[in-house]
Amino acid sequence: MFHGFHKVFIEIQHVEDIVIAAGLPRFITYGNYVGEFVAPIFLIVGFKTRIAALVIAFNMLMSILIAHSDIMFSVNGFGGWMIETNMLYLLTAVVIFFAGAGKYSLSKGVGKWE
């Protein structure tokens, strides 16, 4: 969420440049706002957690495929996977999508997505 906060309130130009370089329309950049700022807030408060987790997982998948495809199979100087943080966020979001909201979420038991 804090990474997304920086993009929302300080600079989105870097993401916009990457999206345009990938041949995608400029408005796709604003999906990054939802995936990196709005969806994590929903996840933290427990409102529509499955949908928020799915949005985050999709956002991280696109981040890996668009922005980090050149280092997808690389390791850093310490032997760590270059995209391990991205994969951690992606796979954690997938787990939350399947596990659902916790006991104390705002929308626990409301609708089929909780």
Side-chain angles (χ1 to χ4, degrees), residues 22-43:
L24 297 170
R26 183 180 309 258
F27 74 89
I28 298 287
T29 305
Y30 298 101
N32 191 285
Y33 287 158
V34 175
E36 286 194 19
F37 188 68
V38 177
I41 290 173
F42 279 25
L43 205 65

Side-chain angles (χ1 to χ4, degrees), residues 4 6 29 37 53 56 65 67 74 90 103 105:
H6 176 75
T29 305
F37 188 68
I56 292 169
L65 294 177
S74 301
L90 185 145
K103 183 177 179 182
S105 66

Side-chain angles (χ1 to χ4, degrees), residues 59-79:
N59 188 63
M60 292 313 301
L61 180 64
M62 291 299 103
S63 169
I64 291 168
L65 294 177
I66 294 173
H68 302 294
S69 62
D70 56 332
I71 60 169
M72 193 180 311
F73 301 108
S74 301
V75 294
N76 62 21
F78 301 104

